Amino acid sequence: MEQIILKTPAARSDIYVGCPWKTVHKLLPRSGVAIITDDNVMRLYGDRFPPFPVFSVTPGEGSKQISVVEQLAGKLLDTGIDRSGMILAIGGGVVSDITGFLAAVYMRGIRFGSISTTLLSQVDASVGGKNGVNLGNVKNMIGTIRQPEFVICAPSMVVSLPEDEYLSGLAELIKTAIIGDSELFDTIVQDTDGIAERNETLLSAIIARAVRFKASVVAEDEHETGLRRILNFGHTLGHAIELTQKIKHGFAVASGMELATWFSFAKGFISEEEKGMITGILRHFRLTGTAMPCEDEMRRMISHDKKKAGSSINFVFLEGIGRATVMATGIDEIMEFYRNIHNSI
Ligand code: GLY
């Protein structure tokens, strides 16, 4: 087991990778705990839950709504959870986003921790404190940053995920390698079979490595005023693809990463070989190849992006494998690139 400590000026988050999830008993108070989960996780793992009241939401992005958070707050109040209490999220990215937001706003803030059940949430969503809900079909428009006290990542749960859920998380893991860890990229490229077979020892090692990188970025820039922006690699175009094509987050981000890689190449920041290696690994795991939104839809979607400032977006480019950089880029320039690509595929 590996314990990774994420320290920010105001908080500390302990992330345990590769530990049995019964470890949670040591991390929870004896009383005043409520569990937030979703119906799938409840069905699969409900018999292992610690003995506290459980509130379960409908699985999927549709639950990331302010009305769901309001209903859950009412349930916490009815159960008598007060400021001395704690909320435990058990689930993937949606559960972690809702629970973190609820913990940040309920009674102006209570403690929370999570057991992260998907690869996507283990390497990204549950680590770093971002939370929130969607506003209409604009992703994560309402939210806060609040660090969980602990996150338990059990790779044994990843082993039993449905294939599309696993691959969706793998896209975020590959993202980490591309933006910040060329050795992790090499490991992934060299052991694609172990990854496809979900070798638990390999998964524990690469999940821990991805979490370590993310924790170091968040420790330096919790509120995303600079460095943390690199974690959005592939997300500007990816979010637009996700919402228009209604596909899983990781697949949309993978297509967004492919486009951002081509954009980086078009600007002369990376070599043809690097472009080929990135495109190759994404294609190897069949993460890309989805249909793309038309130009008008893409422009409308990226104009709502949180990374927008005036008529520019803080767009994440690559300078090499393991090296990302952020540049304010005009929406018109992004759209010109997109038009050329869209017309050629
Ligand atoms: N998911 C990107 C971040 O946590 O900043």
Side-chain angles (χ1 to χ4, degrees):
M1 184 197 72
E2 186 159 346
Q3 180 178 359
I4 297 154
I5 299 168
L6 194 176
K7 261 201 180 137
T8 67
R12 168 184 163 140
S13 194
D14 289 65
I15 303 138
Y16 301 90
V17 181
C19 68
W21 80 333
K22 58 177 187 282
T23 310
V24 75
H25 292 281
K26 291 188 210 136
L27 303 168
L28 292 173
R30 285 180 187 279
S31 60
V33 179
I35 297 171
I36 312 282
T37 189
D38 73 28
D39 299 346
N40 286 342
V41 176
M42 177 80 178
R43 187 170 34 79
L44 287 170
Y45 301 114
D47 57 351
R48 297 197 211 169
F49 283 12
F52 296 111
V54 180
F55 305 115
S56 184
V57 301
T58 305
E61 194 71 19
S63 284
K64 277 179 62 170
Q65 291 178 40
I66 198 92
S67 58
V68 172
V69 174
E70 191 179 354
Q71 283 164 23
L72 290 169
K75 288 178 179 167
L76 293 186
L77 196 60
D78 292 345
T79 315
I81 303 293
D82 62 23
R83 275 191 179 153
S84 65
M86 186 166 193
I87 317 179
L88 174 66
I90 307 182
V94 170
V95 168
S96 128
D97 278 357
I98 300 173
T99 307
F101 185 51
L102 179 62
V105 296
Y106 182 71
M107 295 194 178
R108 297 210 179 91
I110 69 170
R111 301 157 62 201
F112 81 110
S114 73
I115 299 176
S116 179
T117 59
T118 66
L119 182 57
L120 185 97
S121 66
Q122 294 185 8
V123 297
D124 190 42
S126 68
V127 176
K130 274 192 185 172
N131 60 54
V133 293
N134 300 335
L135 185 62
N137 74 344
V138 188
K139 270 185 78 83
N140 304 330
M141 272 313 257
I142 302 173
T144 75
I145 293 184
R146 185 177 181 85
Q147 299 304 332
E149 278 191 14
F150 63 83
V151 181
I152 293 179
C153 303
S156 57
M157 289 177 169
V158 169
V159 171
S160 55
L161 287 175
E163 185 71 0
D164 62 342
E165 184 60 55
Y166 176 67
L167 291 175
S168 178
L170 184 59
E172 287 282 0
L173 194 118
I174 293 173
K175 176 201 79 178
T176 305
I178 294 173
I179 59 171
D181 189 341
S182 59
E183 275 182 40
L184 178 59
F185 188 85
D186 291 345
T187 305
I188 294 169
V189 169
Q190 281 157 20
D191 205 350
T192 50
D193 287 350
I195 288 171
E197 287 156 14
R198 308 191 200 181
N199 177 301
E200 208 175 310
T201 311
L202 174 66
L203 281 179
S204 280
I206 60 179
I207 291 169
R209 200 160 173 131
V211 169
R212 260 201 309 277
F213 175 74
K214 180 159 184 185
S216 70
V217 170
V218 175
E220 196 172 319
D221 178 27
E222 185 181 19
H223 290 279
E224 200 173 298
T225 53
L227 179 68
R228 186 168 182 167
R229 290 181 182 146
I230 63 171
L231 299 175
N232 296 323
F233 177 61
H235 282 61
T236 295
L237 301 173
H239 274 166
I241 296 167
E242 178 176 359
L243 286 163
T244 54
Q245 310 310 115
K246 309 227 176 317
I247 57 173
K248 278 197 173 293
H249 180 72
F251 290 92
V253 166
S255 286
M257 290 196 285
E258 188 169 63
L259 290 170
T261 300
W262 291 343
F263 201 3
S264 303
F265 175 69
K267 286 176 86 74
F269 298 159
I270 57 169
S271 67
E272 182 136 32
E273 190 193 353
E274 289 165 323
K275 179 180 95 161
M277 285 170 74
I278 295 170
T279 305
I281 196 70
L282 296 172
R283 291 188 179 174
H284 177 88
F285 289 110
R286 297 199 169 84
L287 295 171
T288 51
T290 184
M292 295 283 165
C294 69
E295 276 174 57
D296 286 351
E297 274 181 316
M298 182 57 93
R299 182 179 281 277
R300 191 168 45 82
M301 299 300 294
I302 66 174
S303 300
H304 287 140
D305 195 291
K306 287 196 296 307
K307 296 174 282 305
K308 185 168 83 79
S311 59
S312 293
I313 288 183
N314 287 314
F315 197 91
V316 188
F317 291 98
L318 299 176
E319 293 179 318
I321 293 177
R323 279 182 297 131
T325 186
V326 179
M327 286 179 196
T329 307
I331 291 180
D332 287 343
E333 186 186 348
I334 298 172
M335 285 312 302
E336 190 187 331
F337 160 77
Y338 186 71
R339 189 174 311 115
N340 290 334
I341 290 288
H342 198 246
N343 290 339
S344 68
I345 51 178

